[in-house]
């Protein structure tokens, strides 16, 4: 299925040379929740590939109409489409003075991460939120009570879990071999998990300070 591609000038992003963190984990693993905590403490830009896709669907564009079918099936959308959406959002953020990025829910496949790193820059770290399938399902079903997401239903959750195990789990091995993977046990409370996240980011930014936006 041919989906519209865009030409994006990455010069501002490459010149900024800010740290980039991939945030990886199964559906409902707490990526978005932990990213909110990280943004509050370090002032980074949080870009969720899923949220960017949902915004494209909400926009009513022809591209969005094609994407929603794939997302409702719990499958992965074409990687070029996701990368275009992320690139556009990153350039916009860096023009506003972003000092670093959390790329939430990305990459979903090894080749996706490789393409990002060759076209933009290597990731500084890959944070992997490690959660049992049972907990993932429980959290997504609980979220379904209020989220209104097209993919928060037991059928799609199961498909997303299969997609994660088949396509995304190899991502963790890939970055472990590159000594870039940080495996975070994510079964506990939100605060407990966040306390395991901060030491790794403090090593990059220094502790207790929001990364000051450019003047
Ligand atoms: N440590 C936790 N304990 C209990 N509930 C949690 C925890 N972390 C997140 N949640 C809840 O679980 C649900 C999924 O969390 P979140 O949306 O952050 O996951 P996600 O990894 O971004 O999921 P998706 O990939 O589907 O977007 C949310 O309703 C959230 O409030
Ligand atoms: N091929 C990819 N598809 C992606 C990616 N991120 C999201 N998606 C699609 O969106 C839904 C929802 O994502 P979520 O992060 O909110 O769970 C997901 O099931 C995929 O269909 C991506 O990086 N690559
Ligand atoms: Mg999320």
């Amino acid at each position: 299925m041919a989906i519209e591609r865009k030409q994006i000038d990455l010069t501002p992003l490459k010149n900024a040379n800010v740290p980039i963190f991939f945030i990886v984990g199964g559906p409902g693993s707490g990526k978005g929740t932990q990213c909110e905590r990280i943004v509050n403490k370090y002032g980074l830009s949080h870009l969720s590939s899923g949220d960017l896709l949902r915004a494209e669907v909400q926009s009513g564009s022809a591209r969005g109409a094609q994407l929603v079918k794939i997302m409702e099936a719990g499958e992965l959308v074409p990687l070029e489409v996701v990368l275009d959406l992320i690139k556009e959002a990153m350039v916009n953020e860096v023009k506003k003075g972003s000092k670093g990025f959390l790329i939430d829910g990305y990459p979903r496949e090894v080749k996706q991460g490789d393409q990002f790193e060759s076209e933009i820059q290597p990731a500084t770290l890959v944070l992997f939120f490690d959660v049992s399938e049972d907990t993932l399902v429980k959290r997504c079903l609980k979220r379904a009570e209020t989220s209104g997401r097209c993919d928060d239903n037991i059928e799609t959750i199961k498909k997303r879990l299969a997609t994660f195990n088949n396509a995304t789990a190899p991502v963790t091995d890939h970055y472990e071999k590159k000594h870039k993977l940080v495996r975070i046990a994510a079964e506990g409370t939100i605060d407990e998990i966040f306390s395991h996240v901060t030491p790794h980011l403090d090593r990059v930014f220094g502790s207790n300070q929001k990364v000051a936006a450019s003047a």
Side-chain angles (χ1 to χ4, degrees):
M1 162 184 53
I3 298 185
E4 173 204 346
R5 296 296 314 273
K6 299 193 174 180
Q7 282 306 315
I8 301 144
D9 176 12
L10 296 175
T11 307
L13 180 56
K14 290 178 182 275
N15 290 343
N17 192 29
V18 293
I20 297 173
F21 302 90
F22 289 157
I23 310 297
V24 175
S29 57
K31 300 184 295 296
T33 302
Q34 292 299 320
C35 282
E36 280 175 35
R37 293 293 182 94
I38 296 170
V39 166
N40 289 338
K41 179 174 171 68
Y42 299 94
L44 302 177
S45 301
H46 173 208
L47 298 177
S48 157
S49 45
D51 291 347
L52 292 172
L53 288 160
R54 280 184 284 277
E56 181 69 16
V57 171
Q58 287 300 321
S59 74
S61 69
R63 182 167 69 169
Q66 291 175 294
L67 293 171
V68 70
K69 295 190 183 81
I70 299 169
M71 294 167 73
E72 286 174 340
E75 293 160 6
L76 296 180
V77 304
L79 67 88
E80 292 80 6
V81 172
V82 180
L83 195 48
D84 282 356
L85 289 171
I86 291 174
K87 284 177 179 175
E88 277 178 307
M90 292 180 80
V91 169
N92 290 337
E93 284 295 309
V94 88
K95 285 178 178 173
K96 291 187 276 186
S98 175
K99 299 305 284 180
F101 290 94
L102 303 172
I103 310 296
D104 170 359
Y106 187 99
R108 304 270 168 139
E109 304 165 284
V110 169
K111 63 183 176 182
Q112 200 178 44
D114 289 345
Q115 187 164 353
F116 179 107
E117 295 194 301
S118 65
E119 293 183 11
I120 301 175
Q121 75 184 56
T124 307
L125 281 179
V126 179
L127 300 185
F128 167 50
F129 291 104
D130 197 358
V131 185
S132 68
E133 284 207 3
D134 187 43
T135 301
L136 292 177
V137 172
K138 282 180 184 157
R139 287 186 188 168
C140 284
L141 290 177
K142 180 72 178 149
R143 182 179 63 187
E145 293 170 10
T146 55
S147 71
R149 284 178 45 156
C150 68
D151 56 358
D152 269 351
N153 58 75
I154 191 62
E155 294 77 25
T156 308
I157 290 166
K158 286 184 176 171
K159 290 175 186 170
R160 292 173 65 209
L161 279 171
T163 300
F164 176 76
N165 290 328
N166 297 330
T168 309
V171 169
T172 53
D173 296 338
H174 182 70
Y175 288 102
E176 197 139 53
K177 292 189 180 99
K178 290 182 167 197
H179 307 293
K180 279 192 179 180
L181 190 82
V182 173
R183 190 184 291 268
I184 306 277
E187 294 281 345
T189 68
I190 295 169
D191 289 340
E192 283 166 354
I193 295 160
F194 188 58
S195 71
H196 298 312
V197 170
T198 53
H200 300 284
L201 296 181
D202 288 348
R203 270 197 286 279
V204 176
F205 294 115
S207 58
N208 304 322
Q209 294 302 321
K210 274 202 171 186
V211 178
S214 59

